[in-house]
Amino acid sequence: METVEDMGPVDYVVIEFPGNRMTGEAFPLLVDLSDRGIIRIIDLAFVRKETDGSVVGLEARDLGGEIDLSVFEGASSGVLDQGDLDEAAHALDPGNAAAVLVYENLWAAPLARALRRGGAQLVAGGRIPVQALLAALDATEETVPPGGGSAAA
């Protein structure tokens, strides 16, 4: 792996699969993002939250059924530990499984390098859920009269 000065921002996502149902439709898209150099998968782990609240780590081969997840075997750097998986499982409903993905945003690495050279550093980040963004845009449209004028006019 590169030095921290060369890396792009690193994010994580926890993707819940209700009822442990995975169609596999998104996995080729994840591979494509990696193959095209947009992201680098640092760690990928699968967990299930049992109905009693306990957390069980799963192997990719245990999830597949008819889905071929062999491409993800070995996609683990060891960054995620059991404590991380337990924390991720707090977001899950009992009886559901999840993928926990840690990835580097390679597309942003040149920008991050330039900012670091200038002495800047990322001090905060976050995600806006799509539903919240759409609701905010809808609320904005409701307050702007036709023609784009001010609502106070």
Side-chain angles (χ1 to χ4, degrees), residues 11-103:
D11 289 323
Y12 76 92
V13 292
V14 178
I15 305 160
E16 183 175 30
F17 299 99
N20 300 319
R21 290 184 311 272
M22 292 185 207
T23 65
E25 181 180 354
F27 293 123
L29 299 170
L30 180 60
V31 170
D32 180 60
L33 289 171
S34 180
D35 287 348
R36 290 190 294 141
I38 296 170
I39 66 166
R40 177 191 339 251
I41 298 172
I42 295 174
D43 222 332
L44 177 63
F46 297 94
V47 296
R48 181 176 58 237
K49 185 174 187 177
E50 303 292 353
T51 54
D52 67 1
S54 62
V55 179
V56 177
L58 303 170
E59 296 292 328
R61 65 179 169 271
D62 297 333
L63 298 169
E66 293 130 29
I67 304 168
D68 180 16
L69 297 176
S70 61
V71 68
F72 296 111
E73 287 183 14
S76 176
S77 66
V79 168
L80 292 172
D81 63 17
Q82 187 61 47
D84 297 320
L85 300 179
D86 291 343
E87 182 69 26
H90 286 304
L92 303 179
D93 287 331
N96 292 343
V100 182
L101 174 65
V102 178
Y103 61 96

Side-chain angles (χ1 to χ4, degrees), residues 126-153:
R127 296 226 180 267
I128 300 171
V130 173
Q131 299 85 342
L133 179 62
L134 293 175
L137 290 172
D138 286 346
T140 300
E141 288 176 7
E142 291 172 7
T143 61
V144 176
S150 169

